[in-house]
Amino acid sequence: MFKQVVPVNQQRHAGKKIKQVEGFGFASQFHIAYVTTHEFVRSAAIYPLVFIEDKEKDEFRPVALLGLDAGENLFVGADQKWAASYIPAIIRRYPFALSQAGEDGRFLVCVDEGSELFNDTEGSALFDDKGEPTEVVENVKRYLSELQQMDAITGEFCKFLAAHNLFVPLNMRVRQNDKFKNISGCYVINEERLNNLSDELFLELRAKHYLPAIYAQLTSLSQIERLVMLKDEKQQPLAA
């Protein structure tokens, strides 16, 4: 998705503009999208939610499955419109992102200079004639700051699940046209282990407000069938 991410800078980006997002072609080849726990309930009604393991950082991250194969986003149509009522926040924030400035907890607002939305002539300016950040930049700062807080909470959620051995590899077989496809390489919450937690641990889950996210993830797996249907619909014109 991101090609050339650099910190937003008045000297470097004076006169630069950002066009309003009118299509999601930039996300058409992404089959997963990171989601925070705050997004689980809304996302679970549309996307299967799973966890992927980052072995280098020794952590798990939740993602929404957007396709059954790498390089495929079944929710972006030929018209580049998003074919669902909820769009993950990581997609909506494009072409902006946060980058950690150091070990003191500071973050910098960054922009993807390789994005088609970033240009010299169309859209809203990043800086005004006096070199001050415009409302566009200030709104992005607030939005990304909120996402960063959600990201921190999501990280603690995943650490808790991992510490109590609540992750299990997903192995699911679905029928696609006249063939079967195995879905693997990711993790889900183990419902059996969840149900066998001690009363003390279960109450801790409730106190941390983790239960809605946990049950949303478990129920979201039924949306894999939605992906199969979308895949079949896209392949039918090709077969014809």
Side-chain angles (χ1 to χ4, degrees):
M1 186 189 304
F2 293 98
K3 301 174 183 177
Q4 187 179 345
V5 178
V6 299
V8 173
N9 179 276
Q10 188 274 330
Q11 292 182 334
R12 180 171 180 142
H13 298 137
K16 293 294 184 179
K17 298 182 177 182
I18 294 292
K19 290 195 295 185
Q20 184 176 355
V21 174
E22 296 180 351
F24 295 90
F26 63 86
S28 62
Q29 295 183 350
F30 285 84
H31 70 292
I32 61 173
Y34 169 69
V35 288
T36 66
T37 52
H38 296 71
E39 300 177 85
F40 272 32
V41 172
R42 292 189 67 184
S43 297
I46 304 169
Y47 315 104
L49 305 179
V50 298
F51 299 85
I52 55 176
E53 183 180 14
D54 186 334
K55 294 185 178 179
E56 290 186 3
K57 295 183 179 180
D58 190 27
E59 65 181 19
F60 290 84
R61 292 177 66 84
V63 298
L65 290 181
L66 307 177
L68 295 172
D69 297 296
E72 164 192 78
N73 185 341
L74 294 171
F75 293 90
V76 177
D79 58 0
Q80 298 194 352
K81 302 298 182 183
W82 196 276
S85 58
Y86 182 76
I87 304 170
I90 195 172
I91 303 294
R92 287 183 280 121
R93 78 179 186 183
Y94 184 81
F96 295 99
L98 276 184
S99 175
Q100 191 162 357
E103 297 186 2
D104 57 357
R106 290 187 303 113
F107 287 85
L108 296 174
V109 175
C110 299
V111 66
D112 182 7
E113 292 184 335
S115 170
E116 295 180 356
L117 302 175
F118 182 81
N119 68 103
D120 295 316
T121 58
E122 297 181 62
S124 302
L126 295 178
F127 296 91
D128 62 23
D129 295 338
K130 297 179 181 179
E132 296 296 324
T134 64
E135 187 177 359
V136 171
V137 175
E138 295 302 327
N139 288 340
V140 167
K141 282 183 181 179
R142 284 194 294 270
Y143 182 58
L144 292 181
S145 176
E146 291 175 3
L147 286 183
Q148 183 57 35
Q149 293 175 31
M150 295 177 188
D151 183 62
I153 293 170
T154 301
E156 291 302 315
F157 171 75
C158 292
K159 286 179 183 178
F160 185 94
L161 297 181
H164 293 91
N165 195 31
L166 288 173
F167 287 126
V168 64
L170 173 65
N171 288 296
M172 181 178 287
R173 201 178 191 204
V174 296
R175 188 178 184 87
Q176 186 179 318
N177 292 325
D178 58 345
K179 299 179 181 179
F180 286 95
K181 181 176 183 63
N182 292 317
I183 299 176
S184 58
C186 51
Y187 295 81
V188 294
I189 295 171
N190 188 310
E191 188 171 4
E192 182 179 354
R193 293 176 195 165
L194 175 68
N195 291 333
N196 288 326
L197 287 178
S198 67
D199 291 345
E200 181 182 2
L201 270 179
F202 194 84
L203 288 174
E204 186 175 355
L205 283 175
R206 190 178 74 176
K208 290 179 179 290
H209 306 290
Y210 288 166
L211 289 177
I214 287 173
Y215 290 124
Q217 189 279 310
L218 290 171
T219 59
S220 75
L221 294 179
S222 63
Q223 301 302 333
I224 288 178
E225 294 300 325
R226 178 195 292 258
L227 296 186
V228 173
M229 291 173 61
L230 288 173
K231 178 90 170 179
D232 288 346
E233 289 173 3
K234 288 201 171 189
Q235 288 183 336
Q236 283 174 3
L238 298 176

